[in-house]
Amino acid sequence: MTIDAMHWVWTHSRAKGNARLVLLAVADKAPGPDATVRMGTTELVGRLNAARSSVVKAVDAALASGELVIAEPAIGSRAATYQLPYAVGYVRPAPNARGPESGPVSQSYRSENETPNPEQESGIRTGSETARGPESGPGGSENETPRGPESGPLYQTTPTRSGSKQAGEPAPPVLGPEIPTNCRPLVDTITAAGILVRWNLSVAEWFTVEALIKRTGVAALAAFAQKQANTRDVSYARYFLPGWRDLPPLPEPGTARPPLRAVSGGWQPYSNPTDVSAYSNGF
């Protein structure tokens, strides 16, 4: 899986600079098909051969891209567990998966009425044959109509909308990750409590959050997040995922709440003890 994960980083990752090196370092050590590995900051510093502050920024950039996630946060002396979510189960293609780049091709495009020798050629070739032509210069019949684009007008005398955008219309702003509708109540509750974290979760992680909402409820998940945020500085919402998974599910419908335990207080009359052996001496 290590080579497959590294192949995914080389061919599919959009990370740049040190963030890409972090992904390669994780992929190089990921042994299984789940693309997961436990690594500490010290080990990442050694692999990247960079300053600790630069490595921390690179890890944050990789996490922000969503191509790296924290499966289990660091606890005490135990390092965090990182995962490449898009490389899970990825298998690099075989070297000859696309077939040879050159070789014999089908002769179906050629005319069956070939002349016996080159000197007696008629000079008339089929359109498919002349389509190959030389690499430069005109090819085929001079009366061939221009093919132009596959769709749309052949010649445009007025600028299209895309052209007007290039002429000066501003591009739409990037407003951050799209939050699924079923997860919005949890995000809104946590944000209203003053916990501002990044919700750049992967598709698989959003499915997990939605399942946890159905199992445990928004109130319990939000209370756990608020308790964690009160004890440490949390920047990413995926930090809550391991703890959310350990929370108990909602009680079954119709489960009665146990009565509150009564607390005695105030003056109470004296009563003899149940064991009367204390009076056996005649006092």
Side-chain angles (χ1 to χ4, degrees):
M1 182 58 198
T2 296
I3 299 179
D4 294 330
M6 293 185 67
H7 186 276
W8 180 90
V9 175
W10 283 120
T11 56
H12 297 286
S13 173
R14 296 184 179 181
K16 298 179 180 179
N18 287 339
R20 193 181 186 93
L21 293 180
V22 169
L23 298 178
L24 288 171
V26 173
D28 178 61
K29 197 179 177 183
D34 57 350
T36 302
V37 64
R38 190 180 300 278
M39 295 182 67
T41 305
T42 302
E43 183 175 359
L44 285 170
V45 169
R47 283 176 172 261
L48 270 67
N49 194 23
R52 186 182 184 90
S53 58
S54 299
V55 173
V56 172
K57 291 181 180 178
V59 172
D60 288 342
L63 292 171
S65 70
E67 295 181 355
L68 180 70
V69 298
I70 299 178
E72 293 183 9
I75 300 177
S77 60
R78 187 176 66 178
T81 300
Y82 295 98
Q83 183 183 46
L84 303 173
Y86 300 111
V88 174
Y90 175 83
V91 178
R92 67 190 186 283
N96 59 347
R98 295 184 303 170
E101 297 182 358
S102 61
V105 296
S106 174
Q107 302 267 339
S108 59
Y109 59 83
R110 301 192 59 177
S111 170
E112 297 294 334
N113 299 325
E114 293 187 1
T115 55
N117 54 65
E119 289 77 13
Q120 298 177 353
E121 287 184 355
S122 62
I124 301 175
R125 300 177 180 269
T126 60
S128 299
E129 187 175 359
T130 58
R132 293 184 299 169
E135 294 183 358
S136 61
S141 172
E142 293 182 343
N143 296 326
E144 182 180 357
T145 58
R147 289 182 296 176
E150 295 182 359
S151 61
L154 190 61
Y155 300 104
Q156 295 179 351
T157 56
T158 58
T160 61
R161 181 163 182 80
S162 59
S164 64
K165 285 185 179 180
Q166 296 176 358
E169 281 191 20
V174 179
L175 300 180
E178 187 71 21
I179 299 175
T181 303
N182 294 337
C183 300
R184 172 63 69 177
L186 176 62
V187 176
D188 292 343
T189 302
I190 292 178
T191 303
I195 305 172
L196 304 179
V197 293
R198 299 179 183 178
W199 292 93
N200 53 342
L201 304 179
S202 64
V203 175
E205 289 172 327
W206 278 121
F207 278 125
T208 300
V209 172
E210 184 175 353
L212 289 170
I213 291 175
K214 294 179 180 179
R215 190 196 71 168
T216 307
V218 172
L221 298 179
F224 177 85
Q226 186 171 10
K227 182 177 179 181
Q228 295 297 313
N230 289 338
T231 58
R232 57 182 56 84
D233 185 15
V234 181
S235 300
Y236 298 92
R238 63 173 50 90
Y239 177 84
F240 303 130
L241 287 177
W244 282 347
R245 292 190 183 98
D246 295 336
L247 293 178
L250 290 169
E252 293 293 334
T255 303
R257 183 174 181 179
L260 297 176
R261 186 177 60 181
V263 180
S264 61
W267 179 87
Q268 293 181 352
Y270 174 80
S271 60
N272 291 328
T274 304
D275 185 8
V276 296
S277 62
Y279 303 100
S280 60
N281 293 331
F283 292 99

